[in-house]
Amino acid sequence: MNYKFDGYRFDFVKHRKKYFIVSALLIIAGIVSLMTMGLNLGVDFKSGTRVQVQIGQTFKEADVKQAVEQIGLHSGSITTAGDKKDMAVIQFAEPIHKDEFAKLTKAMENKYGKGVSLQESTVNPIISQELARSALYSVLLASVGIVLYITIRFEFRFAVSSVLALLHNVFLVITLFSIFQIEVELTFIAAILTIVGYSIHDNIIIFDRIRDNLKHAKLKTVQDVEDVVNHSIDQTLARSINTVLTVVICAAALYIFGGESIRHFTLALIIGLIFGAYSSIFIASQIWVSWREADLKKSKKKNKLANNEA
Amino acid sequence: MIKWSRLVTLLLITAVVFGTVALTGKKVAMGTTLGLDLRGGFEILYEVAPLNEKQKLTTQTLKDATKALDNRVNKLGIAEPEIQAEGTNRIRVRLAGVTDQERARDLIGKPANLTFRDQDGKILMQGSDLAENGAQGVLDSQTQQPVVTLQFKDAKKFADVTQKYIGQPMAIFLDDQLVTAPVIKSVIPNGTAQIDGQKDIQEAKDLAAILNAGALPVKMKEVFSTSVGAKLGQEALQNGVEAGIIGTIIVLLFMIVYYRMPGVIACITLVAYIYLLLLMQNLMGATLTLPGIAAFILGIGMAVDANIIMYERIKEELRSGKSYLSALRAGSKRSLSTILDANVTSIIASLVLFYFGSSAIRGFAVILILSIIVSMVTAVAGSRFLMNLAVRSNLFNKPGYYGVKERDIREL
């Protein structure tokens, strides 16, 4: 590949309507999916208890169910998990009492030996509602903080474009979790907020380059705006690709080798990181281009009117 | 001409970094405080309610309750319990490394309003009449049965009671639960009493601990609990650490292959970064949890990003025809504001996380903030310093060392 200095390898700006359409379609799919299927909320977000049993050998789900029912508990669902298929996840729609948990521990030990290891989480609906609310506030507040910071350091248009792209990323991750009905746990919030941090990080680096290139450019025509943005994206492209690659390598290692308990977390992270890289090039920058061009046309019209009157 | 002094300094620093990590790395890694999700244990969130209608929950009652719980947990011999009041009506108890969960859970939440009542239910004496640490779980010297012996503050008061109710049963209640109702056979002049019926000495000791810790000044209800089996925790830790090592090695290889000489420097600073981050975390006494490991690995990504941004800039400057030294100067200077802006926004997001998040998320935020700060030192300042030494040593005066092709370089 030959590096050309005065041109750019790809006209990123030209196809922006297509990116917007793709994202719009995904967002619509997300709204439909959220309204019809909703999210597969884990016990962290609704009332109930989730018990994870490390059995250490393969087992039949029916056997576990039988053992659970023998001690008088009603399990909602029992699923097999773990790399070696040696872990049972039992969901109870009602929170189980600590005595019942002790009984369950004994029952599992009796059935599968002393080597079993149990993990339990019980949440009361009030607490989980609080959690969800605080998560929502966090994202909104983080957005406000980021808008303020970027407006001070850059300009308002950059700030709004970044935050729109960021909300777009967060929404699309939620969408995919809804479409594929992947369980949403407490750590999902941490993943979402990492995505917020990362997509902003990514946006800033491209906007920083646009800002840098604007110092030497005069934006008189629509073409000028598009050239600056195309140049800027082109110049930062190697960095954008390499960075998302290294972060995704880390997250993927965590997904593959990190074990069951953080798999949903890392999945959300990987999807979010990729959307983050995509949106900083194809959404945030393109919103800025459209906005800037609209402003440019407006001021031209004004000038024309002013000239005509004179 | 090759400047050996610079080269030797560079090698010396590299040796010091790797030497320190090799010699103390294991100790630092072992010194990390692990969260209960990584070593087993449990966490319970209690919702606190007043005992009766007259009582009002104040910060003081919440504090008293926390202290009473702390007493009990200490009596259990659990190291590093974390008991804290949250908001206006909650207490969070976090016990890592507890093996007998059932017992601990029982002991913490058990009420302890001790009363001695007559047949009609009239309260004769109360837990507050007990002497300080007056309850003891022992084996009865005659029967070898486990019992709890009680010592009252006022021996005379107890003597009067036993005299008045001689021949009658005296019921001992723990809150509204009848524990035992021994018949008073004789007047007890020395202010001691005893509760029997304990299964074993451990149960007797636990009951004594509850009694000594006094009555909980509030009612407590479990609203959230999470527990991790020790084995599950260890497996999670091992998985997380393995994943981290594998991810890091791939990233290091990538950096060397793609960025060549600067990539090697990135590896040195990255190793220093991981070491310093662990060290800082230990010094701060921060607890490493599973989401913390995730933040840790994300932090590695951010640190690598700082390197990538700088090296890409340097490559650009080299392509534009600048000399190695001025390319380095311009590249590191121009990349700094970019890295700074990007990191500040990430810190803002993390601060919001820390402020609004719950325990696990807070741990995540703390490590992310810490890692961004440490990466500014190693991946930005450290990298720049080492690159300076490398470039000034004149050993790497070929574009190939920087991953730049000769024909891409423009004339100035």
Side-chain angles (χ1 to χ4, degrees), chain A residues 120 122 153 194 201 208 243, chain B residues 225 227 259 298 305 338 341 364:
Chain A
E120 171 262 325
T122 301
R153 291 281 299 155
T194 315
H201 189 101
D208 179 75
T243 296
Chain B
S225 72
S227 78
Y259 291 106
L298 194 79
D305 188 40
T338 312
D341 277 333
F364 177 85

Side-chain angles (χ1 to χ4, degrees), chain B residues 87-123:
Chain B
T88 53
N89 66 337
R90 287 196 194 131
I91 296 176
R92 192 182 289 274
V93 177
R94 230 179 267 148
L95 303 175
V98 171
T99 44
D100 192 351
Q101 211 189 105
E102 198 187 335
R103 180 177 148 231
R105 223 165 163 180
D106 238 35
L107 206 85
I108 294 166
K110 208 165 211 167
N113 193 13
L114 185 76
T115 49
F116 298 83
R117 306 182 192 181
D118 70 5
Q119 279 165 305
D120 306 323
K122 196 184 144 214
I123 293 170

